[in-house]
PDB file of all heavy atoms in Angstrom:
ATOM      1  N   ALA K   2     -29.606-107.151-109.125  1.00 97.00           N
ATOM      2  CA  ALA K   2     -29.945-108.309-109.964  1.00 97.00           C
ATOM      3  C   ALA K   2     -29.646-108.157-111.419  1.00 97.00           C
ATOM      4  O   ALA K   2     -29.652-107.000-111.891  1.00 97.00           O
ATOM      5  CB  ALA K   2     -31.458-108.587-109.810  1.00 97.00           C
ATOM      6  N   ARG K   3     -29.423-109.257-112.035  1.00 94.00           N
ATOM      7  CA  ARG K   3     -29.282-109.141-113.575  1.00 94.00           C
ATOM      8  C   ARG K   3     -30.709-108.863-114.096  1.00 94.00           C
ATOM      9  O   ARG K   3     -31.747-109.394-113.602  1.00 94.00           O
ATOM     10  CB  ARG K   3     -28.736-110.469-114.075  1.00 94.00           C
ATOM     11  CG  ARG K   3     -27.267-110.779-113.740  1.00 94.00           C
ATOM     12  CD  ARG K   3     -26.775-111.989-114.323  1.00 94.00           C
ATOM     13  NE  ARG K   3     -26.931-112.026-115.668  1.00 94.00           N
ATOM     14  CZ  ARG K   3     -26.720-113.181-116.537  1.00 94.00           C
ATOM     15  NH1 ARG K   3     -26.568-114.348-115.881  1.00 94.00           N
ATOM     16  NH2 ARG K   3     -26.760-113.071-117.775  1.00 94.00           N
ATOM     17  N   ASP K   4     -30.755-108.076-115.211  1.00 95.00           N
ATOM     18  CA  ASP K   4     -31.978-107.762-115.761  1.00 95.00           C
ATOM     19  C   ASP K   4     -32.794-108.965-116.197  1.00 95.00           C
ATOM     20  O   ASP K   4     -32.377-109.768-117.035  1.00 95.00           O
ATOM     21  CB  ASP K   4     -31.750-106.854-116.988  1.00 95.00           C
ATOM     22  CG  ASP K   4     -32.943-106.084-117.410  1.00 95.00           C
ATOM     23  OD1 ASP K   4     -34.102-106.761-117.441  1.00 95.00           O
ATOM     24  OD2 ASP K   4     -32.833-104.974-117.828  1.00 95.00           O
ATOM     25  N   PRO K   5     -34.037-109.207-115.680  1.00 94.00           N
ATOM     26  CA  PRO K   5     -34.728-110.360-115.914  1.00 94.00           C
ATOM     27  C   PRO K   5     -35.289-110.469-117.379  1.00 94.00           C
ATOM     28  O   PRO K   5     -35.777-111.447-117.726  1.00 94.00           O
ATOM     29  CB  PRO K   5     -35.849-110.374-114.876  1.00 94.00           C
ATOM     30  CG  PRO K   5     -36.033-108.978-114.586  1.00 94.00           C
ATOM     31  CD  PRO K   5     -34.598-108.391-114.731  1.00 94.00           C
ATOM     32  N   ARG K   6     -35.211-109.423-118.041  1.00 91.00           N
ATOM     33  CA  ARG K   6     -35.769-109.316-119.450  1.00 91.00           C
ATOM     34  C   ARG K   6     -34.747-109.736-120.471  1.00 91.00           C
ATOM     35  O   ARG K   6     -35.096-109.907-121.642  1.00 91.00           O
ATOM     36  CB  ARG K   6     -36.172-107.881-119.759  1.00 91.00           C
ATOM     37  CG  ARG K   6     -37.418-107.377-118.869  1.00 91.00           C
ATOM     38  CD  ARG K   6     -37.554-105.856-118.896  1.00 91.00           C
ATOM     39  NE  ARG K   6     -36.330-105.158-118.219  1.00 91.00           N
ATOM     40  CZ  ARG K   6     -36.343-103.881-117.977  1.00 91.00           C
ATOM     41  NH1 ARG K   6     -37.482-103.229-118.137  1.00 91.00           N
ATOM     42  NH2 ARG K   6     -35.314-103.312-117.401  1.00 91.00           N
ATOM     43  N   GLU K   7     -33.460-110.069-120.066  1.00 85.00           N
ATOM     44  CA  GLU K   7     -32.488-110.326-120.947  1.00 85.00           C
ATOM     45  C   GLU K   7     -32.094-111.871-120.973  1.00 85.00           C
ATOM     46  O   GLU K   7     -32.437-112.626-119.977  1.00 85.00           O
ATOM     47  CB  GLU K   7     -31.237-109.539-120.732  1.00 85.00           C
ATOM     48  CG  GLU K   7     -31.443-108.082-120.871  1.00 85.00           C
ATOM     49  CD  GLU K   7     -30.234-107.227-120.579  1.00 85.00           C
ATOM     50  OE1 GLU K   7     -29.149-107.790-120.206  1.00 85.00           O
ATOM     51  OE2 GLU K   7     -30.267-105.975-120.792  1.00 85.00           O
ATOM     52  N   VAL K   8     -31.529-112.333-122.043  1.00 75.00           N
ATOM     53  CA  VAL K   8     -31.156-113.731-122.169  1.00 75.00           C
ATOM     54  C   VAL K   8     -30.182-114.064-121.009  1.00 75.00           C
ATOM     55  O   VAL K   8     -29.349-113.401-120.672  1.00 75.00           O
ATOM     56  CB  VAL K   8     -30.396-113.949-123.528  1.00 75.00           C
ATOM     57  CG1 VAL K   8     -29.845-115.383-123.589  1.00 75.00           C
ATOM     58  CG2 VAL K   8     -31.369-113.741-124.705  1.00 75.00           C
ATOM     59  N   GLY K   9     -30.416-115.345-120.511  1.00 74.00           N
ATOM     60  CA  GLY K   9     -29.576-115.901-119.474  1.00 74.00           C
ATOM     61  C   GLY K   9     -30.152-115.764-118.106  1.00 74.00           C
ATOM     62  O   GLY K   9     -29.658-116.260-117.102  1.00 74.00           O
ATOM     63  N   THR K  10     -31.310-115.144-117.991  1.00 85.00           N
ATOM     64  CA  THR K  10     -32.008-115.042-116.644  1.00 85.00           C
ATOM     65  C   THR K  10     -33.459-115.561-116.616  1.00 85.00           C
ATOM     66  O   THR K  10     -34.013-115.621-115.612  1.00 85.00           O
ATOM     67  CB  THR K  10     -32.010-113.530-116.212  1.00 85.00           C
ATOM     68  OG1 THR K  10     -32.803-112.786-117.134  1.00 85.00           O
ATOM     69  CG2 THR K  10     -30.600-112.905-116.249  1.00 85.00           C
ATOM     70  N   SER K  11     -33.871-115.975-117.761  1.00 84.00           N
ATOM     71  CA  SER K  11     -35.375-116.316-117.937  1.00 84.00           C
ATOM     72  C   SER K  11     -35.769-117.457-117.029  1.00 84.00           C
ATOM     73  O   SER K  11     -36.817-117.605-116.571  1.00 84.00           O
ATOM     74  CB  SER K  11     -35.703-116.604-119.341  1.00 84.00           C
ATOM     75  OG  SER K  11     -34.880-117.590-119.837  1.00 84.00           O
ATOM     76  N   SER K  12     -34.772-118.490-116.824  1.00 83.00           N
ATOM     77  CA  SER K  12     -35.132-119.638-116.107  1.00 83.00           C
ATOM     78  C   SER K  12     -35.484-119.297-114.622  1.00 83.00           C
ATOM     79  O   SER K  12     -36.320-119.906-113.902  1.00 83.00           O
ATOM     80  CB  SER K  12     -34.116-120.647-116.089  1.00 83.00           C
ATOM     81  OG  SER K  12     -32.932-120.266-115.560  1.00 83.00           O
ATOM     82  N   THR K  13     -34.838-118.258-114.108  1.00 89.00           N
ATOM     83  CA  THR K  13     -35.014-117.809-112.710  1.00 89.00           C
ATOM     84  C   THR K  13     -36.416-117.178-112.602  1.00 89.00           C
ATOM     85  O   THR K  13     -37.190-117.422-111.663  1.00 89.00           O
ATOM     86  CB  THR K  13     -33.906-116.768-112.259  1.00 89.00           C
ATOM     87  OG1 THR K  13     -32.759-117.242-112.359  1.00 89.00           O
ATOM     88  CG2 THR K  13     -34.172-116.302-110.852  1.00 89.00           C
ATOM     89  N   THR K  14     -36.822-116.346-113.626  1.00 92.00           N
ATOM     90  CA  THR K  14     -38.127-115.789-113.598  1.00 92.00           C
ATOM     91  C   THR K  14     -39.197-116.937-113.604  1.00 92.00           C
ATOM     92  O   THR K  14     -40.254-116.798-112.952  1.00 92.00           O
ATOM     93  CB  THR K  14     -38.210-114.866-114.889  1.00 92.00           C
ATOM     94  OG1 THR K  14     -37.292-113.814-114.674  1.00 92.00           O
ATOM     95  CG2 THR K  14     -39.661-114.224-114.917  1.00 92.00           C
ATOM     96  N   ALA K  15     -38.972-117.945-114.556  1.00 90.00           N
ATOM     97  CA  ALA K  15     -39.891-118.965-114.701  1.00 90.00           C
ATOM     98  C   ALA K  15     -40.130-119.787-113.400  1.00 90.00           C
ATOM     99  O   ALA K  15     -41.182-120.182-113.061  1.00 90.00           O
ATOM    100  CB  ALA K  15     -39.378-119.912-115.661  1.00 90.00           C
ATOM    101  N   TYR K  16     -38.945-119.872-112.580  1.00 91.00           N
ATOM    102  CA  TYR K  16     -39.108-120.681-111.288  1.00 91.00           C
ATOM    103  C   TYR K  16     -40.043-119.862-110.393  1.00 91.00           C
ATOM    104  O   TYR K  16     -40.912-120.497-109.788  1.00 91.00           O
ATOM    105  CB  TYR K  16     -37.666-120.732-110.697  1.00 91.00           C
ATOM    106  CG  TYR K  16     -37.856-121.179-109.240  1.00 91.00           C
ATOM    107  CD1 TYR K  16     -38.253-122.454-108.900  1.00 91.00           C
ATOM    108  CD2 TYR K  16     -37.482-120.270-108.225  1.00 91.00           C
ATOM    109  CE1 TYR K  16     -38.394-122.730-107.568  1.00 91.00           C
ATOM    110  CE2 TYR K  16     -37.497-120.640-106.892  1.00 91.00           C
ATOM    111  CZ  TYR K  16     -38.035-121.887-106.598  1.00 91.00           C
ATOM    112  OH  TYR K  16     -38.106-122.262-105.217  1.00 91.00           O
ATOM    113  N   TYR K  17     -39.795-118.653-110.255  1.00 94.00           N
ATOM    114  CA  TYR K  17     -40.648-117.821-109.260  1.00 94.00           C
ATOM    115  C   TYR K  17     -42.145-117.896-109.826  1.00 94.00           C
ATOM    116  O   TYR K  17     -43.093-117.917-109.030  1.00 94.00           O
ATOM    117  CB  TYR K  17     -40.075-116.424-109.079  1.00 94.00           C
ATOM    118  CG  TYR K  17     -38.925-116.334-108.277  1.00 94.00           C
ATOM    119  CD1 TYR K  17     -37.731-116.031-108.830  1.00 94.00           C
ATOM    120  CD2 TYR K  17     -38.983-116.550-106.911  1.00 94.00           C
ATOM    121  CE1 TYR K  17     -36.560-115.878-107.999  1.00 94.00           C
ATOM    122  CE2 TYR K  17     -37.928-116.330-106.117  1.00 94.00           C
ATOM    123  CZ  TYR K  17     -36.686-116.141-106.664  1.00 94.00           C
ATOM    124  OH  TYR K  17     -35.472-116.068-105.918  1.00 94.00           O
ATOM    125  N   TRP K  18     -42.343-117.781-111.054  1.00 95.00           N
ATOM    126  CA  TRP K  18     -43.739-117.808-111.685  1.00 95.00           C
ATOM    127  C   TRP K  18     -44.334-119.121-111.378  1.00 95.00           C
ATOM    128  O   TRP K  18     -45.523-119.167-111.131  1.00 95.00           O
ATOM    129  CB  TRP K  18     -43.603-117.464-113.154  1.00 95.00           C
ATOM    130  CG  TRP K  18     -44.860-117.420-113.887  1.00 95.00           C
ATOM    131  CD1 TRP K  18     -45.422-118.473-114.592  1.00 95.00           C
ATOM    132  CD2 TRP K  18     -45.766-116.345-114.090  1.00 95.00           C
ATOM    133  NE1 TRP K  18     -46.576-118.103-115.145  1.00 95.00           N
ATOM    134  CE2 TRP K  18     -46.816-116.866-114.916  1.00 95.00           C
ATOM    135  CE3 TRP K  18     -45.799-115.010-113.632  1.00 95.00           C
ATOM    136  CZ2 TRP K  18     -47.959-116.026-115.263  1.00 95.00           C
ATOM    137  CZ3 TRP K  18     -46.809-114.287-114.041  1.00 95.00           C
ATOM    138  CH2 TRP K  18     -47.960-114.781-114.759  1.00 95.00           C
ATOM    139  N   MET K  19     -43.646-120.214-111.617  1.00 94.00           N
ATOM    140  CA  MET K  19     -44.284-121.544-111.581  1.00 94.00           C
ATOM    141  C   MET K  19     -44.390-122.083-110.171  1.00 94.00           C
ATOM    142  O   MET K  19     -45.195-122.971-109.998  1.00 94.00           O
ATOM    143  CB  MET K  19     -43.422-122.538-112.435  1.00 94.00           C
ATOM    144  CG  MET K  19     -43.446-122.158-113.999  1.00 94.00           C
ATOM    145  SD  MET K  19     -42.165-123.092-114.978  1.00 94.00           S
ATOM    146  CE  MET K  19     -42.796-124.758-114.737  1.00 94.00           C
ATOM    147  N   ASN K  20     -43.626-121.587-109.182  1.00 93.00           N
ATOM    148  CA  ASN K  20     -43.697-122.051-107.902  1.00 93.00           C
ATOM    149  C   ASN K  20     -45.106-121.723-107.280  1.00 93.00           C
ATOM    150  O   ASN K  20     -45.344-120.567-107.192  1.00 93.00           O
ATOM    151  CB  ASN K  20     -42.543-121.483-107.042  1.00 93.00           C
ATOM    152  CG  ASN K  20     -42.426-122.117-105.667  1.00 93.00           C
ATOM    153  OD1 ASN K  20     -43.333-122.303-104.939  1.00 93.00           O
ATOM    154  ND2 ASN K  20     -41.156-122.642-105.345  1.00 93.00           N
ATOM    155  N   GLU K  21     -45.834-122.654-106.925  1.00 93.00           N
ATOM    156  CA  GLU K  21     -47.190-122.424-106.430  1.00 93.00           C
ATOM    157  C   GLU K  21     -47.172-121.614-105.164  1.00 93.00           C
ATOM    158  O   GLU K  21     -48.202-121.053-104.789  1.00 93.00           O
ATOM    159  CB  GLU K  21     -47.930-123.732-106.203  1.00 93.00           C
ATOM    160  CG  GLU K  21     -48.120-124.493-107.524  1.00 93.00           C
ATOM    161  CD  GLU K  21     -48.869-125.835-107.325  1.00 93.00           C
ATOM    162  OE1 GLU K  21     -49.114-126.204-106.103  1.00 93.00           O
ATOM    163  OE2 GLU K  21     -49.185-126.482-108.194  1.00 93.00           O
ATOM    164  N   GLU K  22     -46.035-121.615-104.381  1.00 95.00           N
ATOM    165  CA  GLU K  22     -45.971-120.820-103.158  1.00 95.00           C
ATOM    166  C   GLU K  22     -45.520-119.429-103.380  1.00 95.00           C
ATOM    167  O   GLU K  22     -45.433-118.662-102.322  1.00 95.00           O
ATOM    168  CB  GLU K  22     -45.072-121.534-102.109  1.00 95.00           C
ATOM    169  CG  GLU K  22     -45.660-122.882-101.742  1.00 95.00           C
ATOM    170  CD  GLU K  22     -44.782-123.564-100.557  1.00 95.00           C
ATOM    171  OE1 GLU K  22     -44.655-122.925 -99.517  1.00 95.00           O
ATOM    172  OE2 GLU K  22     -44.388-124.654-100.882  1.00 95.00           O
ATOM    173  N   LEU K  23     -45.208-119.043-104.566  1.00 96.00           N
ATOM    174  CA  LEU K  23     -44.659-117.743-104.916  1.00 96.00           C
ATOM    175  C   LEU K  23     -45.519-117.025-106.020  1.00 96.00           C
ATOM    176  O   LEU K  23     -46.457-116.340-105.716  1.00 96.00           O
ATOM    177  CB  LEU K  23     -43.223-117.796-105.320  1.00 96.00           C
ATOM    178  CG  LEU K  23     -42.240-118.261-104.195  1.00 96.00           C
ATOM    179  CD1 LEU K  23     -40.871-118.660-104.788  1.00 96.00           C
ATOM    180  CD2 LEU K  23     -42.153-117.273-103.062  1.00 96.00           C
ATOM    181  N   GLY K  24     -45.220-117.400-107.320  1.00 96.00           N
ATOM    182  CA  GLY K  24     -46.200-116.998-108.346  1.00 96.00           C
ATOM    183  C   GLY K  24     -46.099-115.620-108.685  1.00 96.00           C
ATOM    184  O   GLY K  24     -45.251-114.835-108.345  1.00 96.00           O
ATOM    185  N   PRO K  25     -47.131-115.184-109.509  1.00 97.00           N
ATOM    186  CA  PRO K  25     -47.160-113.822-109.985  1.00 97.00           C
ATOM    187  C   PRO K  25     -47.132-112.685-108.975  1.00 97.00           C
ATOM    188  O   PRO K  25     -46.541-111.608-109.109  1.00 97.00           O
ATOM    189  CB  PRO K  25     -48.493-113.664-110.822  1.00 97.00           C
ATOM    190  CG  PRO K  25     -48.756-115.173-111.130  1.00 97.00           C
ATOM    191  CD  PRO K  25     -48.167-116.010-109.934  1.00 97.00           C
ATOM    192  N   ASP K  26     -47.738-112.945-107.785  1.00 98.00           N
ATOM    193  CA  ASP K  26     -47.796-111.917-106.749  1.00 98.00           C
ATOM    194  C   ASP K  26     -46.414-111.661-106.211  1.00 98.00           C
ATOM    195  O   ASP K  26     -46.171-110.482-105.972  1.00 98.00           O
ATOM    196  CB  ASP K  26     -48.777-112.442-105.691  1.00 98.00           C
ATOM    197  CG  ASP K  26     -49.029-111.387-104.657  1.00 98.00           C
ATOM    198  OD1 ASP K  26     -49.165-110.138-104.960  1.00 98.00           O
ATOM    199  OD2 ASP K  26     -49.082-111.729-103.442  1.00 98.00           O
ATOM    200  N   PHE K  27     -45.664-112.691-105.997  1.00 98.00           N
ATOM    201  CA  PHE K  27     -44.413-112.420-105.464  1.00 98.00           C
ATOM    202  C   PHE K  27     -43.526-111.670-106.419  1.00 98.00           C
ATOM    203  O   PHE K  27     -42.821-110.736-106.117  1.00 98.00           O
ATOM    204  CB  PHE K  27     -43.623-113.718-105.132  1.00 98.00           C
ATOM    205  CG  PHE K  27     -42.209-113.524-104.773  1.00 98.00           C
ATOM    206  CD1 PHE K  27     -41.816-113.217-103.509  1.00 98.00           C
ATOM    207  CD2 PHE K  27     -41.182-113.663-105.745  1.00 98.00           C
ATOM    208  CE1 PHE K  27     -40.572-113.031-103.137  1.00 98.00           C
ATOM    209  CE2 PHE K  27     -39.850-113.522-105.341  1.00 98.00           C
ATOM    210  CZ  PHE K  27     -39.472-113.175-104.077  1.00 98.00           C
ATOM    211  N   LEU K  28     -43.504-112.070-107.725  1.00 97.00           N
ATOM    212  CA  LEU K  28     -42.760-111.353-108.745  1.00 97.00           C
ATOM    213  C   LEU K  28     -43.184-109.830-108.797  1.00 97.00           C
ATOM    214  O   LEU K  28     -42.322-109.003-108.891  1.00 97.00           O
ATOM    215  CB  LEU K  28     -42.935-112.026-110.145  1.00 97.00           C
ATOM    216  CG  LEU K  28     -42.099-113.321-110.370  1.00 97.00           C
ATOM    217  CD1 LEU K  28     -42.507-113.889-111.667  1.00 97.00           C
ATOM    218  CD2 LEU K  28     -40.634-112.995-110.459  1.00 97.00           C
ATOM    219  N   TRP K  29     -44.455-109.567-108.872  1.00 98.00           N
ATOM    220  CA  TRP K  29     -44.882-108.151-108.944  1.00 98.00           C
ATOM    221  C   TRP K  29     -44.391-107.312-107.894  1.00 98.00           C
ATOM    222  O   TRP K  29     -43.791-106.284-107.953  1.00 98.00           O
ATOM    223  CB  TRP K  29     -46.398-108.091-109.133  1.00 98.00           C
ATOM    224  CG  TRP K  29     -46.886-106.716-109.497  1.00 98.00           C
ATOM    225  CD1 TRP K  29     -47.211-105.746-108.611  1.00 98.00           C
ATOM    226  CD2 TRP K  29     -47.117-106.254-110.740  1.00 98.00           C
ATOM    227  NE1 TRP K  29     -47.648-104.637-109.212  1.00 98.00           N
ATOM    228  CE2 TRP K  29     -47.557-104.910-110.581  1.00 98.00           C
ATOM    229  CE3 TRP K  29     -46.957-106.747-111.966  1.00 98.00           C
ATOM    230  CZ2 TRP K  29     -47.845-104.073-111.690  1.00 98.00           C
ATOM    231  CZ3 TRP K  29     -47.280-105.943-113.166  1.00 98.00           C
ATOM    232  CH2 TRP K  29     -47.751-104.577-112.915  1.00 98.00           C
ATOM    233  N   ARG K  30     -44.533-107.851-106.654  1.00 98.00           N
ATOM    234  CA  ARG K  30     -44.104-107.090-105.442  1.00 98.00           C
ATOM    235  C   ARG K  30     -42.663-106.903-105.408  1.00 98.00           C
ATOM    236  O   ARG K  30     -42.209-105.905-104.988  1.00 98.00           O
ATOM    237  CB  ARG K  30     -44.687-107.790-104.250  1.00 98.00           C
ATOM    238  CG  ARG K  30     -46.168-107.714-104.089  1.00 98.00           C
ATOM    239  CD  ARG K  30     -46.646-108.219-102.614  1.00 98.00           C
ATOM    240  NE  ARG K  30     -45.966-107.410-101.540  1.00 98.00           N
ATOM    241  CZ  ARG K  30     -46.049-107.830-100.300  1.00 98.00           C
ATOM    242  NH1 ARG K  30     -46.628-108.948 -99.961  1.00 98.00           N
ATOM    243  NH2 ARG K  30     -45.478-107.060 -99.416  1.00 98.00           N
ATOM    244  N   PHE K  31     -41.940-107.930-105.766  1.00 98.00           N
ATOM    245  CA  PHE K  31     -40.488-107.954-105.719  1.00 98.00           C
ATOM    246  C   PHE K  31     -39.949-106.796-106.654  1.00 98.00           C
ATOM    247  O   PHE K  31     -39.069-105.944-106.160  1.00 98.00           O
ATOM    248  CB  PHE K  31     -39.831-109.261-106.087  1.00 98.00           C
ATOM    249  CG  PHE K  31     -38.312-109.338-105.989  1.00 98.00           C
ATOM    250  CD1 PHE K  31     -37.671-109.471-104.859  1.00 98.00           C
ATOM    251  CD2 PHE K  31     -37.611-109.180-107.209  1.00 98.00           C
ATOM    252  CE1 PHE K  31     -36.254-109.500-104.833  1.00 98.00           C
ATOM    253  CE2 PHE K  31     -36.214-109.152-107.084  1.00 98.00           C
ATOM    254  CZ  PHE K  31     -35.544-109.293-105.850  1.00 98.00           C
ATOM    255  N   TRP K  32     -40.431-106.729-107.835  1.00 98.00           N
ATOM    256  CA  TRP K  32     -39.916-105.768-108.859  1.00 98.00           C
ATOM    257  C   TRP K  32     -40.556-104.349-108.665  1.00 98.00           C
ATOM    258  O   TRP K  32     -39.860-103.359-109.010  1.00 98.00           O
ATOM    259  CB  TRP K  32     -40.329-106.135-110.229  1.00 98.00           C
ATOM    260  CG  TRP K  32     -39.507-107.391-110.694  1.00 98.00           C
ATOM    261  CD1 TRP K  32     -40.009-108.636-111.050  1.00 98.00           C
ATOM    262  CD2 TRP K  32     -38.089-107.623-110.681  1.00 98.00           C
ATOM    263  NE1 TRP K  32     -39.066-109.440-111.382  1.00 98.00           N
ATOM    264  CE2 TRP K  32     -37.867-108.875-111.134  1.00 98.00           C
ATOM    265  CE3 TRP K  32     -37.010-106.788-110.396  1.00 98.00           C
ATOM    266  CZ2 TRP K  32     -36.560-109.403-111.290  1.00 98.00           C
ATOM    267  CZ3 TRP K  32     -35.748-107.249-110.476  1.00 98.00           C
ATOM    268  CH2 TRP K  32     -35.466-108.653-110.980  1.00 98.00           C
ATOM    269  N   THR K  33     -41.662-104.238-107.963  1.00 98.00           N
ATOM    270  CA  THR K  33     -42.200-102.931-107.760  1.00 98.00           C
ATOM    271  C   THR K  33     -42.059-102.267-106.434  1.00 98.00           C
ATOM    272  O   THR K  33     -42.013-101.068-106.242  1.00 98.00           O
ATOM    273  CB  THR K  33     -43.775-102.994-108.055  1.00 98.00           C
ATOM    274  OG1 THR K  33     -44.388-103.894-107.106  1.00 98.00           O
ATOM    275  CG2 THR K  33     -44.079-103.450-109.394  1.00 98.00           C
ATOM    276  N   GLU K  34     -41.749-103.077-105.465  1.00 98.00           N
ATOM    277  CA  GLU K  34     -41.594-102.595-104.048  1.00 98.00           C
ATOM    278  C   GLU K  34     -40.184-102.494-103.488  1.00 98.00           C
ATOM    279  O   GLU K  34     -39.937-101.658-102.598  1.00 98.00           O
ATOM    280  CB  GLU K  34     -42.391-103.464-103.095  1.00 98.00           C
ATOM    281  CG  GLU K  34     -43.857-103.509-103.293  1.00 98.00           C
ATOM    282  CD  GLU K  34     -44.589-104.388-102.355  1.00 98.00           C
ATOM    283  OE1 GLU K  34     -43.982-104.903-101.277  1.00 98.00           O
ATOM    284  OE2 GLU K  34     -45.839-104.665-102.581  1.00 98.00           O
ATOM    285  N   MET K  35     -39.285-103.262-104.075  1.00 98.00           N
ATOM    286  CA  MET K  35     -37.970-103.372-103.440  1.00 98.00           C
ATOM    287  C   MET K  35     -36.798-102.554-104.019  1.00 98.00           C
ATOM    288  O   MET K  35     -35.741-102.592-103.594  1.00 98.00           O
ATOM    289  CB  MET K  35     -37.526-104.932-103.442  1.00 98.00           C
ATOM    290  CG  MET K  35     -38.520-105.889-102.746  1.00 98.00           C
ATOM    291  SD  MET K  35     -39.223-105.176-101.199  1.00 98.00           S
ATOM    292  CE  MET K  35     -37.642-105.133-100.184  1.00 98.00           C
TER     293      MET K  35
END
């Protein structure tokens, strides 16, 4: 994956965060478990 902390990827991070069926839990597990 492209580094989510850098310019050009933030909208993807925002989508997962704002999607009510995914949200913070999905993001945390994706980056820490996979």
